[in-house]
Amino acid sequence: MSSDEQEKLLSYNGEVLIFQLSTGNSAEEGTAKTSKLHVKRMTFDRSTRAFIQKSTGIFSMHGELSSFEMICCSCAADFRTGINLPCVLIRRNKKKSVFKYFLLLLHSSNEFEQRMNLTLEYEMKDDIKILDGPSVLWRHIKAFFYISSQNDTIVSAPVKFSSIKWAGVVENLGTILFGVGEPHSTKRESSQKYSEDYAIWGTEFYAYSIENKTILSGTHFLPHAYGSVVTCIHVCSTKVVNSVLRISLLALTQKNQLICFQDGVPKNLCQLPFQHPRALQVMASGGGDLLYIVSCRSGDVCAIGKKSFQVASKWQKVHSVLVDDFLGIGTEQLLLVFKDTFNTNCLTSFKITDLGNVNYSNDAFDPMENDLFEDNLQENYSLTVQALERRLQIGLASIQELQKHLLLKERVLSKSCKALIGFVQGKEYVPPYKEEDVLVSLCDDKKYFPHSLDEKLSDTSHDSKHIIEKMWYRVLDDHLVVGVQIKYSFTLFLNDVTLSLIMDQACSFNPPLIKCKNSMIKLDTVSLPTSLSSPCETESSAKRIKLILHNKERKNNCQEQTSETNCIPVFTAVTALSPLLAFHNFCCIVILHARWGKNSGKFGESCTVPCGRLSLSIEDISSGKYSVILPEKDKPFKEPVEDLFALLAVFHKFHFQITSHDCTLTSVKTWLLKHMECETIKEFPDSFLCKSHGALYGILFNWKQKTAFEGILTIYCRNQTALFQCLHNLIQILPMNYVIKQLTLGSKEFLTNQLAQFLEKEIVTLKNSFSSAISELEDNLAQRCETINKNSSSILPKSSLSGRKEIIQQIRDELQQEKEQIMWGMNLSLSSAIYREITLKVAMVQLESDLAAQKLNDL
């Protein structure tokens, strides 16, 4: 780097931004001296294994280059749009003791925007940070100062920090500063412990909330004893639980250690191979593991694995360390730019790696990494063997599942063969009683139905106690809603769960089945944990989104919930209430049908579990005993929340995808809470109940924000009129250039049932078409054979006993005719007209099934 240039590197959305401050061209700018801030966007090309320049931008400033200096650069969210943008803080020395600072934002068009400027009579030197807003904070002589682009007012904190270790946003507390200051006590006169602590520590941790202007105890972060040794902090997660701040963080110390803290208590420690650690970054690698990247002042860098919490690799002579998705594969990589031949024009001396399959480096420069694989070779071998053993176990488990599947197929084929043999012999195959998987005959087969439904229920009552959590039923308008919740341990093993309602009538030998609509409702309920998870097991939401998009495993999210979030599936059956009122005292039995999943040991086998009885009378309906009652304003749903699930089962459901490319969609939640007067359902924080008076009262909303610019809004309402009112109010508050799209594909269960109906219709069409064609061909063949038989009988010799030769020849002719008839029966052919008619019918039905399959695939 030349003496008349200043350069800094920053990663942004997988690109490397190179900021360069240099002298302007005097001939172009005139006689006035100018300086220019250049930016180069560099992207990595995997085909050439090198960084190439994508675009550039320039910002001109009046003054000599020696009077300007780039203080720092970082990415911060713009409060106007909520989008993260690169920011550069520049200082200009106007006079001997007058310093002017201005903050520049870089937009996607490579245009710089000056967001704030301030003039100070001293130089910013210590603890300078750029936060969201954007805003700038710094420390000067143990005093802390803060300025935001929203108000352009410098604010000072009452706490005298000797150093600021961390600054960030905490939920419900706003922007928090955490630093070290001199110890103080509220009761110094009578506190002898204060003098002892002061002699031991010499410093004390504090946290200060800028918005609330309150001082918090630093013990939530770290013990005071670490005040003199901690050099850098990375906060992994923060949460306020029962008015208590719970924090998980990582800390670098002057003792060359990386320590994991949970609620102020050290949990894990790693001794670093280098001295003077100064910076800490977190990388989400492609293998699903987290890596902690530690940078030292001497240019040494090392990576620590989350699971082992030991040094995995280290490098030396490093100029810059950047973490981002430089390859565009959905996971993050580590970019190491080395010192010796550093050249910002092409970034020739670099290495990109995730300590796994990804490993790119230039050919011209390959510094000695001196990693720890040679020192810990035996340990790495053991880890490799463990991974191979795990893969072997997974392979054996897959083979066992395939064997079970093959045994199941063999059993089905064996039973089918027995039934077919019995059918050919004219016998009816009766399966053993243990092989009957259903309690209700749907084909009017009264012969083998159990003598008593109560007898069958008593035989399987132990399954009900172990599987069924609870059963309930509600009356909503003209609907009867029956809900069943199974125990969480069984949700992982049961598939294709449906409910059946059977009339409980003693006089009927074969109880009728009530027509109902089945559905499964899943809501995420959040429970407050007793202790916060370890920072080694947490990662930022942005990284988590990238990993989810890469792995595509979100469909199993219900089975992989953490201790803080549980997915509650409730299975419902909705039937019309009016026909049931013909019985004065209506009573029915609820039965759950399912199939065992892969992890149950009974893969593919059906499971039928009685859930219980329900009884309903006209008096119960008149008194509102089982009616759904919506809570009043400022009052939550009564426990339990079956009323909520009843609403979700009956109401019409509409899905809308909302996208905004320019601004974040934070206004949607504000619209729900303020404009629509919704209240968050305590047990299900993603669901909102509208309590606005009028036609909108009782509408349910579910808002799931996939990214900051995209989300799915689900509306549950009684009719489309209420839906139109909601959409009319929604578009008033959405940002400009929004896109709202209705997802008309429907639910997965509905589309699956629709596809099954179309496939069944396709099979029936094929069967009927070919059956009629075969019948017609057989009739033609029979007529042809009769004609031939008549003709052959007419040419028989008049005296059949005239000689043996004539008799033998007659028998031969008859055998030849039978042989020809058999050949005709085996070589039946359709006429072109009949074939076209069948093809047209089948094609029309196949078109419907193909469209349904496409919709299901696009869901």
Side-chain angles (χ1 to χ4, degrees):
M1 184 172 63
S2 60
S3 59
D4 61 341
E5 292 182 349
Q6 302 177 35
E7 295 168 335
K8 288 187 179 296
L9 272 67
L10 180 67
S11 63
Y12 178 70
N13 287 347
E15 301 174 343
V16 178
L17 305 181
I18 303 177
F19 295 99
Q20 187 180 74
L21 196 59
S22 61
T23 303
N25 192 338
S26 302
E28 295 178 0
E29 302 293 338
T31 57
K33 295 182 178 180
T34 61
S35 300
K36 290 186 177 181
L37 177 63
H38 299 262
V39 62
K40 300 177 182 178
R41 293 182 183 265
M42 311 289 289
T43 59
F44 183 73
D45 186 2
R46 282 188 281 181
S47 60
T48 60
R49 304 172 68 92
F51 279 93
I52 59 175
Q53 181 175 303
K54 180 181 178 182
S55 58
T56 61
I58 299 177
F59 182 76
S60 300
M61 301 169 289
H62 296 287
E64 297 181 353
L65 178 63
S66 58
S67 63
F68 291 97
E69 181 181 355
M70 279 190 292
I71 304 301
C72 60
C73 58
S74 178
C75 292
D78 188 356
F79 78 94
R80 298 169 298 180
T81 61
I83 302 176
N84 276 348
L85 294 175
C87 304
V88 182
L89 181 62
I90 296 181
R91 178 183 66 210
R92 181 185 182 188
N93 188 1
K94 298 183 67 175
K95 297 180 181 179
K96 187 175 182 180
S97 59
V98 177
F99 300 89
K100 183 178 180 180
Y101 296 86
F102 51 94
L103 186 68
L104 300 178
L105 265 66
L106 178 64
H107 294 277
S108 58
S109 59
N110 288 331
E111 295 182 358
F112 286 93
E113 177 188 4
Q114 183 173 330
R115 282 299 299 145
M116 69 171 71
N117 61 80
L118 66 153
T119 303
L120 301 175
E121 296 180 354
Y122 57 87
E123 180 182 357
M124 287 187 191
K125 292 183 178 180
D126 303 319
D127 298 330
I128 305 172
K129 300 181 186 297
I130 299 176
L131 303 179
D132 290 342
S135 56
V136 180
L137 64 91
W138 70 95
R139 180 179 57 85
H140 180 67
I141 314 177
K142 295 186 179 182
F144 158 75
F145 300 94
Y146 173 88
I147 183 173
S148 174
S149 58
Q150 293 178 290
N151 48 33
D152 290 334
T153 303
I154 298 177
V155 180
S156 61
V159 177
K160 302 298 181 181
F161 287 110
S162 60
S163 65
I164 299 174
K165 303 299 181 183
W166 178 80
V169 178
V170 177
E171 186 178 359
N172 300 327
L173 294 178
T175 304
I176 296 294
L177 306 177
F178 175 69
V180 179
E182 295 181 356
H184 72 281
S185 176
T186 56
K187 298 180 180 179
R188 293 189 178 184
E189 304 86 12
S190 59
S191 178
Q192 184 176 358
K193 184 179 183 299
Y194 164 74
S195 59
E196 296 176 357
D197 294 340
Y198 180 81
I200 296 174
W201 299 333
T203 57
E204 189 172 349
F205 284 117
Y206 297 102
Y208 177 72
S209 174
I210 295 178
E211 285 81 1
N212 300 335
K213 298 181 179 180
T214 56
I215 300 175
L216 307 175
S217 174
T219 56
H220 299 299
F221 290 79
L222 292 172
H224 295 303
Y226 288 85
S228 59
V229 296
V230 171
T231 59
C232 177
I233 288 176
H234 176 83
V235 176
C236 298
S237 61
T238 60
K239 182 173 288 189
V240 177
V241 180
N242 298 329
S243 302
V244 178
L245 186 61
R246 314 295 295 273
I247 298 177
S248 295
L249 57 84
L250 298 163
L252 295 174
T253 69
Q254 296 177 0
K255 303 295 184 180
N256 306 324
Q257 296 171 333
L258 175 65
I259 307 178
C260 167
F261 288 90
Q262 181 176 331
D263 299 331
V265 179
K267 294 295 183 181
N268 215 336
L269 181 144
C270 176
Q271 188 67 40
L272 302 176
F274 302 119
Q275 296 182 351
H276 309 298
R278 64 177 179 86
L280 176 63
Q281 300 182 69
V282 178
M283 185 183 82
S285 64
D289 192 10
L290 287 181
L291 294 175
Y292 305 128
I293 313 300
V294 179
S295 305
C296 302
R297 298 185 186 278
S298 58
D300 300 324
V301 177
C302 62
I304 295 92
K306 178 196 75 171
K307 296 179 181 179
S308 63
F309 214 72
Q310 293 182 1
V311 177
S313 187
K314 63 180 181 178
W315 304 269
Q316 294 178 333
K317 298 180 181 180
V318 178
H319 177 272
S320 297
V321 181
L322 302 176
V323 174
D324 209 323
D325 184 11
F326 301 102
L327 303 182
I329 59 177
T331 58
E332 292 181 330
Q333 305 91 42
L334 177 65
L335 171 61
L336 302 166
V337 182
F338 298 102
K339 283 183 178 180
D340 289 357
T341 58
F342 176 67
N343 183 357
T344 57
N345 291 327
C346 54
L347 286 177
T348 56
S349 56
F350 67 89
K351 182 179 182 66
I352 298 178
T353 181
D354 65 349
L355 299 186
N357 297 327
V358 177
N359 192 1
Y360 291 92
S361 63
N362 61 309
D363 297 331
F365 182 77
D366 190 11
M368 293 183 61
E369 298 182 5
N370 192 22
D371 56 333
L372 296 183
F373 289 116
E374 295 181 359
D375 300 335
N376 301 326
L377 192 58
Q378 187 63 33
E379 180 183 357
N380 289 340
Y381 280 161
S382 63
L383 294 175
T384 304
V385 170
Q386 291 177 6
L388 292 176
E389 288 179 350
R390 178 58 180 164
R391 288 188 177 183
L392 183 60
Q393 292 174 359
I394 294 174
L396 290 175
S398 301
I399 292 175
Q400 291 176 357
E401 290 182 1
L402 289 175
Q403 289 177 346
K404 292 180 181 179
H405 188 62
L406 290 175
L407 290 175
L408 178 63
K409 283 187 174 180
E410 290 178 0
R411 189 173 64 178
V412 172
L413 290 174
S414 176
K415 293 179 182 178
S416 302
C417 290
K418 290 181 181 178
L420 182 60
I421 293 172
F423 176 75
V424 172
Q425 295 176 351
K427 301 178 182 179
E428 186 174 359
Y429 174 70
V430 181
Y433 181 73
K434 294 182 179 179
E435 295 181 3
E436 292 184 345
D437 293 331
V438 295
L439 299 178
V440 182
S441 174
L442 303 181
C443 302
D444 298 329
D445 186 8
K446 300 181 180 181
K447 183 176 180 180
Y448 304 109
F449 193 82
H451 297 288
S452 173
L453 196 58
D454 293 334
E455 181 181 329
K456 187 70 175 180
L457 291 176
S458 61
D459 293 340
T460 57
S461 59
H462 63 282
D463 294 334
S464 176
K465 295 179 181 178
H466 289 87
I467 298 178
I468 305 302
E469 181 76 25
K470 59 181 174 180
M471 187 201 77
W472 49 268
Y473 53 98
R474 293 289 185 273
V475 174
L476 179 61
D477 298 338
D478 191 31
H479 303 281
L480 172 64
V481 184
V482 181
V484 173
Q485 180 179 345
I486 63 179
K487 293 184 178 180
Y488 179 73
S489 58
F490 282 92
T491 58
L492 307 177
F493 304 119
L494 295 179
N495 298 327
D496 304 331
V497 180
T498 57
L499 299 179
S500 297
L501 305 181
I502 306 172
M503 293 286 292
D504 189 11
Q505 295 176 325
C507 59
S508 176
F509 189 76
N510 191 1
L513 187 69
I514 301 174
K515 183 180 180 181
C516 58
K517 175 187 175 183
N518 277 273
S519 62
M520 180 180 66
I521 303 172
K522 288 184 180 180
L523 291 179
D524 293 336
T525 175
V526 176
S527 58
L528 297 178
T530 56
S531 63
L532 201 62
S533 60
S534 170
C536 300
E537 300 174 357
T538 57
E539 51 190 272
S540 65
S541 59
K543 294 178 182 176
R544 196 158 53 239
I545 289 173
K546 294 170 74 174
L547 285 175
I548 288 172
L549 292 176
H550 180 60
N551 296 331
K552 296 183 180 180
E553 293 180 352
R554 192 172 182 84
K555 62 181 179 179
N556 298 325
N557 191 31
C558 177
Q559 301 179 6
E560 299 174 357
Q561 293 291 326
T562 63
S563 59
E564 296 180 359
T565 305
N566 293 322
C567 185
I568 296 182
V570 175
F571 304 95
T572 61
V574 182
T575 185
L577 182 63
S578 303
L580 305 179
L581 297 180
F583 304 93
H584 181 66
N585 291 316
F586 164 72
C587 184
C588 75
I589 297 174
V590 182
I591 298 177
L592 181 141
H593 306 275
R595 291 193 177 276
W596 292 104
K598 294 183 179 180
N599 301 325
S600 62
K602 305 176 183 178
F603 177 65
E605 296 184 9
S606 60
C607 172
T608 304
V609 182
C611 304
R613 283 184 174 85
L614 66 88
S615 59
L616 195 65
S617 63
I618 191 66
E619 289 80 6
D620 296 333
I621 299 175
S622 301
S623 61
K625 182 178 180 181
Y626 299 105
S627 299
V628 174
I629 301 176
L630 295 176
E632 299 178 358
K633 200 167 186 178
D634 299 327
K635 290 185 179 180
F637 268 97
K638 63 181 180 179
E639 294 287 349
V641 290
E642 283 81 10
D643 291 351
L644 172 62
F645 289 102
L647 291 173
L648 296 177
V650 174
F651 279 7
H652 299 286
K653 180 168 63 174
F654 301 92
H655 300 275
F656 296 94
Q657 180 185 28
I658 304 175
T659 308
S660 174
H661 300 287
D662 300 329
C663 299
T664 55
L665 295 175
T666 54
S667 56
V668 175
K669 194 169 184 179
T670 304
W671 170 72
L672 291 171
L673 297 176
K674 293 184 179 180
H675 297 274
M676 299 301 294
E677 300 181 13
C678 292
E679 292 184 5
T680 305
I681 301 175
K682 180 180 178 182
E683 295 80 2
F684 310 102
D686 291 337
S687 300
F688 303 85
L689 175 65
C690 179
K691 295 187 177 180
S692 174
H693 295 290
L696 302 182
Y697 181 74
I699 295 179
L700 289 164
F701 299 90
N702 186 275
W703 170 244
K704 289 187 177 180
Q705 194 161 350
K706 293 184 177 179
T707 66
F709 307 95
E710 181 184 358
I712 301 295
L713 178 65
T714 306
I715 302 177
Y716 299 86
C717 54
R718 282 187 170 88
N719 48 58
Q720 290 190 354
T721 302
L723 173 67
F724 292 150
Q725 295 182 28
C726 294
L727 295 178
H728 176 74
N729 295 334
L730 174 62
I731 60 177
Q732 305 297 326
I733 58 93
L734 287 177
M736 296 180 62
N737 300 326
Y738 71 91
V739 177
I740 182 169
K741 176 184 177 182
Q742 183 182 4
L743 304 178
T744 57
L745 297 177
S747 65
K748 185 176 181 180
E749 293 80 7
F750 172 76
L751 291 177
T752 303
N753 294 333
Q754 189 181 44
L755 177 60
Q757 292 176 0
F758 285 135
L759 292 175
E760 182 181 3
K761 184 178 178 181
E762 182 178 339
I763 294 173
V764 172
T765 304
L766 283 169
K767 178 183 176 182
N768 295 337
S769 299
F770 284 108
S771 297
S772 60
I774 291 172
S775 299
E776 183 177 351
L777 290 174
E778 288 178 348
D779 293 340
N780 295 336
L781 178 62
Q783 293 177 3
R784 185 176 178 181
C785 293
E786 289 179 1
T787 304
I788 292 174
N789 291 334
K790 289 180 181 179
N791 294 335
S792 62
S793 61
S794 62
I795 61 175
L796 287 175
K798 297 180 180 179
S799 178
S800 59
L801 299 177
S802 60
R804 286 185 174 181
K805 292 183 179 180
E806 289 80 1
I807 297 174
I808 293 173
Q809 185 63 36
Q810 181 181 357
I811 295 174
R812 285 178 178 176
D813 293 341
E814 291 178 355
L815 289 174
Q816 184 63 29
Q817 291 176 6
E818 291 180 1
K819 193 174 183 181
E820 291 178 357
Q821 292 176 6
I822 292 173
M823 293 298 296
W824 293 337
M826 294 177 62
N827 297 303
L828 297 177
S829 58
L830 289 175
S831 64
S832 58
I834 297 177
Y835 181 76
R836 283 195 299 270
E837 182 181 357
I838 295 175
T839 305
L840 181 61
K841 288 181 181 180
V842 174
M844 294 300 293
V845 179
Q846 286 181 342
L847 179 61
E848 296 178 347
S849 59
D850 290 344
L851 291 175
Q854 182 182 4
K855 290 182 179 180
L856 186 61
N857 184 54
D858 295 338
L859 185 60

